[in-house]
Amino acid sequence: MKRLILLTMILLLLVSALAGCSRDKETPTPAAEGNLPADAMGIAQARGLTPDDINAALKTYVPSGKWDEYYLFTSGCPSGNLIVIGVPSMRILKNVAVFTPEAWQGYGIGDLGTEAVLDGGNVDGVEIRMGDSHHPALSETGGDYDGQWVFINDKANARVAVIDLRDFRTKQIVKDPNIISNHGSTFVTPNTEYVIQGTQYATPLGWEYAPIEEYKETYRGVITMWKFDREQGRIIPEESFSIEVPPYWQDLCDAGKLDSDGWGFCNSFNTELFTGGNMEGNPQFESGVSQRDMDYLHIFNWRKAAEVVEAGKFEMINGMRVIRIPTAVEEGVLFLAPEPKSPHGVDITPDGKYVVVAGKLDPHVTIYSFDKIQQAIAAENWTLDDYGIPVLDYDAVMLAQVELGLGPLHTQFDGQGNAFTSLFLDSAVAKWTLGGDDPAGYTMVEKTPVQYNIGHIAAAEGDTVSPDGQYLVALNKWAVDRFLPVGPLLPQNLQLLDIGGGPVKVIYDMAMGIGEPHYAQMIKADKIKAVNVYPEVGWDAIEWKPSEFATKPGEERIERDGNQVTIYSTSIRSHLTPDRIELKVGDHVVWHITNIETAHDAVHGFQLGGQNVSLSIEPSATVSFEFDAATSGTYAYYCTEFCSALHLEMMGYMLVEP
Ligand code: K7E
Ligand code: CUA
């Protein structure tokens, strides 16, 4: 309490002392010039800090040794990764490798466990080692994040990954066998029964060849419901299914919750069925797919769809159970509703009663009522599209519109009855009120500029049934002049906004230099129960069970059977056992290393020069790799983590005799 009073006094002093102080916002100020004064006021004056700056600094400062309040999980897009950030400090905590090999975590660079995870996402036998991760989705229980798993999609290859939040490692990658790009993923149903995935660019199912002239007849999208088994911690492809949808280029999706639980919503932006041909005299895609004023919101009853599949009313296509369009229509699984214009984000309000759609080329957000949708379905208040799918009457299902500004994209909520929408063209975040069933209750509150070209936003638990408010992160595409120059490829700018009441303000700029974040989700830190050390010495982290190759101290050995060599090793500060390996050219080597440490943070890295092997052997883990000793020579292998004073001695020689 005393500290709080003292802090308030200092703050008041600073604020009053600096009230008249202003600075040229256009000219970036160096962080410091020479030695700073020792007192807070002197520092503030020397650096030209405004009262707002000081408030922002205090709100985001997390002292040494203290922890952040939230985890932010953000996608890295072409980096194919998932980046974990602490909020409000905006410190990067981990860069989790997902679709792309990563040496520090020993992911996909020799380690057989992680190579197998990556191979799960190979496409038609092509080894895929890249990805475009877009939308992370934390697992939910009752519509709230439960902190157990996070899923993320790869737009480029139509894949979904499962990441285990016990150890923040990728455990599974699945490939949709019928599409080659997805974007409406990942979104989980309120109890993580399913992970939703929607196609982006339509292709013939299985992306087989079909002339582009057959686009309307042959090309299709799907909405895939990946079944998730919590016990196994895996997506079960055999229990998953897809709903066939027209080639409208489905975009983002969201799962219903509470009132709308059992339903899902995906929008689309190419109901023109435009197929390009700019060298053949056709318009560019950007105008070709933007001719119509309305596209279609896809409204699907996934719970009903699951029953339809159980009743056997599906076709097996490339190993996936697919509900064809006529069945979906007949069974009341799939409906459409018009949505303006060039829609992008679709977001369900925390109470599950309203669907918010943002159209890139419409200055409004459009709010649909789930009740009205149900009434229109019951009254068959629809026309049919070219594929025979009911298109609900727009006026019957649309509840309200709010004019927000240019380029609205994505919406999040604060749990206080407010919504926040990113405005790409305005480079701003709009705050507006939710009005329930009263259209007049939906009103604009304020607009806060961000720098620059904002994409997604992520509020604290902002897409659950109980958002926290307090913080919102703007994921801005362009940084331009915000940071020290680093050449033509700039970091992006993640800005932290204070939405805890009072005017919405930017309180931190974070340079994101390891990926282009699209979506992010922010979860209360105490919901995540990560382990410090694996449960048992000799642990298989991917399968989450004791490894059959676990090696105890004293049991280290080299077994030879003809030219098949198996090495059972251990690592502990500060030696690797064995530290001398004698091979012959032509040997095939399988090498298992168990980190027999049980101490918090006692990780040993491992690299073997000349063989493309980089491992992270975390406390109590067993890791395996294999290689062919193809050329003779004398090699060194060593620990790459500076684990002790005698870390440099933690090495061994591998001799390959001609
Ligand atoms: Cu708007 Cu891929 Cu979610 Cu990016 S998408 S901004
Ligand atoms: Cu182990 Cu360095």
Side-chain angles (χ1 to χ4, degrees):
M1 194 61 195
K2 254 193 213 150
R3 265 165 60 198
L4 193 69
I5 293 168
L6 192 69
L7 192 72
T8 315
M9 279 170 61
I10 293 173
L11 196 65
L12 284 173
L13 205 70
L14 285 171
V15 170
S16 55
L18 296 164
C21 159
S22 71
R23 73 160 192 230
D24 182 9
K25 289 264 185 194
E26 300 308 310
T27 316
T29 343
E33 280 160 4
N35 288 334
L36 284 170
D39 64 298
M41 186 135 78
I43 293 168
Q45 276 169 343
R47 298 179 67 186
L49 301 182
T50 65
D52 268 359
D53 292 337
I54 294 160
N55 276 321
L58 288 172
K59 279 182 170 159
T60 55
Y61 181 63
V62 177
S64 176
K66 295 277 193 285
W67 290 359
D68 280 297
E69 293 166 56
Y70 289 90
Y71 288 92
L72 181 78
F73 290 87
T74 175
S75 57
C77 277
S79 301
N81 53 353
L82 175 79
I83 302 151
V84 188
I85 298 165
V87 176
S89 74
M90 302 304 281
R91 299 182 287 210
I92 292 183
L93 303 175
K94 199 165 198 176
N95 169 25
V96 180
V98 183
F99 298 110
T100 311
E102 202 281 327
W104 168 62
Q105 293 152 87
Y107 185 78
I109 305 178
D111 175 341
L112 289 172
T114 57
E115 294 277 6
V117 170
L118 282 162
D119 283 341
N122 288 345
V123 177
D124 279 352
V126 178
E127 193 174 273
I128 304 292
R129 291 295 183 267
M130 44 66 79
D132 186 15
S133 60
H134 268 242
H135 305 107
L138 287 154
S139 58
E140 294 180 9
T141 300
D144 251 323
Y145 304 147
D146 57 35
Q148 294 181 355
W149 306 92
V150 57
F151 309 92
I152 195 163
N153 69 309
D154 161 24
K155 167 169 160 165
N157 300 287
R159 302 183 298 173
V160 169
V162 179
I163 296 127
D164 188 339
L165 293 180
R166 288 172 298 191
D167 61 352
F168 285 60
R169 292 179 71 119
T170 305
K171 298 296 168 75
Q172 185 187 24
I173 297 175
V174 292
K175 165 83 192 92
D176 192 306
N178 289 317
I179 56 173
I180 196 62
S181 84
N182 69 16
H183 190 246
S185 59
T186 49
F187 300 92
V188 298
T189 55
N191 289 299
T192 321
E193 301 96 333
Y194 291 98
V195 181
I196 301 176
Q197 174 203 266
T199 307
Q200 181 114 84
Y201 306 120
T203 55
L205 291 182
W207 65 96
E208 283 159 5
Y209 174 77
I212 197 94
E213 291 72 29
E214 293 175 13
Y215 187 83
K216 187 173 178 185
E217 298 74 39
T218 314
Y219 286 52
R220 292 291 182 271
V222 294
I223 294 164
T224 295
M225 304 296 291
W226 289 109
K227 178 75 188 162
F228 185 64
D229 182 319
R230 261 180 211 268
E231 289 301 303
Q232 296 182 49
R234 292 291 185 274
I235 284 171
I236 313 293
E238 306 76 54
E239 295 177 24
S240 306
F241 64 89
S242 298
I243 304 166
E244 180 191 21
V245 289
Y248 291 157
W249 289 11
Q250 288 71 31
D251 204 17
L252 283 148
C253 304
D254 202 359
K257 52 190 136 195
L258 299 175
D259 281 29
S260 53
D261 187 11
W263 292 75
F265 307 85
C266 299
N267 48 29
S268 63
F269 62 103
N270 186 13
T271 51
E272 291 84 355
L273 305 182
F274 185 73
T275 58
N278 58 5
M279 299 278 284
E280 286 82 34
N282 292 330
Q284 307 287 358
F285 265 115
E286 69 223 46
S287 55
V289 305
S290 309
Q291 296 163 51
R292 296 181 52 173
D293 284 336
M294 294 280 188
D295 288 290
Y296 291 137
L297 175 67
H298 295 49
I299 302 162
F300 58 99
N301 185 338
W302 62 259
R303 196 160 276 144
K304 185 77 174 283
E307 290 165 18
V308 168
V309 166
E310 282 320 304
K313 297 176 191 167
F314 62 83
E315 250 176 64
M316 194 63 107
I317 305 178
N318 295 320
M320 178 66 87
R321 302 180 296 176
V322 181
I323 303 177
R324 303 307 297 254
I325 290 173
T327 311
V329 170
E330 202 178 296
E331 299 287 337
V333 162
L334 182 62
F335 304 90
L336 304 169
E339 51 177 2
K341 163 158 191 171
S342 262
H344 188 51
V346 50
D347 298 282
I348 312 303
T349 54
D351 57 14
K353 288 177 192 270
Y354 309 97
V355 182
V356 179
V357 168
K360 306 187 288 282
L361 302 179
D362 184 313
H364 303 87
V365 282
T366 303
I367 296 103
Y368 298 78
S369 147
F370 183 70
D371 272 354
K372 284 171 172 275
I373 288 170
Q374 292 307 311
Q375 286 159 18
I377 290 172
E380 301 193 3
N381 186 0
W382 62 52
T383 54
L384 298 179
D385 80 338
D386 288 352
Y387 295 89
I389 304 167
V391 182
L392 305 178
D393 180 66
Y394 179 61
D395 294 324
V397 295
M398 195 274 273
L399 175 73
Q401 283 199 315
V402 196
E403 185 170 341
L404 299 181
L406 299 179
L409 296 184
H410 300 290
T411 299
Q412 294 261 299
F413 306 94
D414 71 354
Q416 310 288 317
N418 299 301
F420 299 82
T421 300
S422 53
L423 303 174
F424 180 81
L425 297 173
D426 274 354
S427 282
V429 173
K431 177 179 179 177
W432 49 283
T433 58
L434 298 171
D437 284 333
D438 173 17
Y442 293 84
T443 54
M444 175 81 173
V445 178
E446 61 179 311
K447 233 194 265 194
T448 308
V450 292
Q451 291 76 30
Y452 306 90
N453 295 3
I454 182 173
H456 275 277
I457 50 178
E461 309 231 340
D463 59 6
T464 68
V465 295
S466 58
D468 285 1
Q470 198 172 359
Y471 299 116
L472 180 142
V473 174
L475 299 115
N476 305 318
K477 306 294 179 190
W478 284 30
V480 195
D481 54 2
R482 306 302 286 188
F483 305 112
L484 288 174
V486 289
L489 176 62
L490 271 59
Q492 298 203 319
N493 187 14
L494 269 55
Q495 286 183 306
L496 182 66
L497 278 70
D498 180 359
I499 57 164
V504 174
K505 278 185 182 154
V506 172
I507 54 173
Y508 198 83
D509 278 28
M510 176 212 175
M512 168 54 73
I514 52 170
E516 187 210 336
H518 276 242
Y519 191 40
Q521 287 188 331
M522 201 191 304
I523 177 176
K524 193 93 181 138
D526 61 12
K527 286 187 175 177
I528 291 185
K529 312 279 183 226
V531 299
N532 292 328
V533 174
Y534 285 110
E536 248 178 66
V537 173
W539 196 254
D540 180 337
I542 304 295
E543 297 300 328
W544 205 261
K545 62 178 194 196
S547 165
E548 55 178 310
F549 307 112
T551 307
K552 293 202 179 91
E555 291 179 354
E556 298 91 346
R557 61 202 184 273
I558 302 169
E559 292 174 352
R560 177 178 281 280
D561 178 10
N563 66 347
Q564 301 293 311
V565 178
T566 310
I567 304 168
Y568 296 86
S569 297
T570 60
S571 65
I572 189 167
R573 283 161 289 170
S574 302
H575 51 270
L576 290 151
T577 308
D579 62 6
R580 200 182 282 166
I581 311 279
E582 310 243 10
L583 302 172
K584 292 197 169 52
V585 167
D587 283 346
H588 178 76
V589 182
V590 179
W591 192 333
H592 311 288
I593 309 178
T594 298
N595 182 352
I596 55 179
E597 307 253 13
T598 54
H600 198 179
D601 214 356
V603 175
H604 300 290
F606 179 94
Q607 290 193 336
L608 171 57
Q611 297 293 347
N612 208 33
V613 173
S614 181
L615 311 176
S616 168
I617 321 164
E618 286 147 34
S620 296
T622 295
V623 174
S624 307
F625 62 99
E626 65 180 338
F627 62 95
D628 288 311
T631 40
S632 67
T634 304
Y635 299 86
Y637 54 89
Y638 65 96
C639 171
T640 54
E641 290 264 336
F642 209 107
C643 53
S644 73
L646 297 175
H647 148 83
L648 292 178
E649 288 78 358
M650 194 167 175
M651 65 82 68
Y653 279 111
M654 183 179 87
L655 302 111
V656 184
E657 206 183 316

